Amino acid sequence: GRGRAPFDFAQGKKSALLAMTIALLAFATPAAHARSITIQSFDADIAINRDGHIVVSEKIQFYFDGSWNGIIRSIPVQYRTPQGFNFDLNLKGVTVTDESGNALKFEKSRVRHYQEYKIWIPGASDASRSVVLTYRVDNALTFFEDHDELYWNITGDEWEMPIEQASARIRLPDGATGLRSVAYTGAYGSRATD
């Protein structure tokens, strides 16, 4: 038939096996290339202003193994207080750029207790690419009788890829005193302080 390799019955079993192997190889499809994304670094800069709002800048460097369109950044914006109330953060003025400051296309949506940003990244194929998200949060500080508090989930807690390195720099207003800090690492609910 058309498209079949010639086969000679007179050459015996060895030729039959060879022809069968060649025919099977001809129809085999190559294995799909496994794709993955790794966060090489996640660096957050958080400036606390005197009026209580914060400005967050996240520089996230990804390595794209295989071809990708971009990423989804999920920022936790709803928390439950110890008193059982829901507390919502209001993100404003969100900008998304590459590391050179060129604007990147993105879409925003609310999913459960996250604000999600679907970000398109040009050239996200077998390459490192950086994304910089900058936004303002007016109600990030909590005020108590004896202290004020910033509770911030730096990286979020639902990345489906490994984070090789993360850092956070928190800048306070001049003259801030009585500082205490604690940082937790690991999966959601972890009390590790690595």
Side-chain angles (χ1 to χ4, degrees), residues 85-126:
F85 298 108
N86 285 337
F87 179 73
D88 291 331
L89 297 174
N90 298 316
L91 278 57
K92 295 182 177 178
V94 177
T95 63
V96 183
T97 66
D98 65 14
E99 61 191 5
S100 298
N102 300 309
L104 296 177
K105 178 183 170 188
F106 70 93
E107 291 178 359
K108 172 177 110 170
S109 62
R110 179 71 184 255
V111 178
R112 300 184 335 270
H113 59 283
Y114 297 98
Q115 186 68 54
E116 283 194 351
Y117 296 90
K118 183 177 185 178
I119 303 166
W120 281 263
I121 303 173
S125 179
D126 296 324

Side-chain angles (χ1 to χ4, degrees), residues 7 11-21:
F7 184 75
Q11 292 187 4
K13 235 179 192 179
K14 188 173 182 182
S15 291
L17 286 174
L18 179 60
M20 190 181 295
T21 302

Side-chain angles (χ1 to χ4, degrees), residues 3 7 18 22-23 40 71 99 112 114 129 133-134 136 139 154 159 162 172 174 182-184 188:
F7 184 75
L18 179 60
I22 291 170
Q40 295 175 309
I71 57 103
E99 61 191 5
R112 300 184 335 270
Y114 297 98
R129 294 288 182 263
L133 279 90
T134 304
R136 174 184 166 130
N139 60 339
I154 301 295
W159 288 105
L172 303 170
D174 291 338
V182 63
Y184 299 110
Y188 179 77

Side-chain angles (χ1 to χ4, degrees), residues 22-80:
I22 291 170
L24 288 174
L25 288 175
F27 291 108
T29 57
H33 176 62
R35 299 182 321 150
S36 65
I37 302 175
T38 300
I39 297 174
Q40 295 175 309
S41 62
F42 189 115
D43 301 305
D45 183 89
I46 301 168
I48 301 174
N49 293 299
R50 266 199 193 285
D51 66 2
H53 80 267
I54 68 172
V55 176
V56 179
S57 180
E58 302 174 348
K59 181 179 180 186
I60 311 169
Q61 183 173 339
F62 298 92
Y63 182 77
F64 295 95
D65 184 16
S67 184
W68 295 83
N69 291 320
I71 57 103
I72 295 176
R73 168 66 170 115
S74 299
I75 301 173
V77 293
Q78 186 177 55
Y79 296 92
R80 185 168 290 284

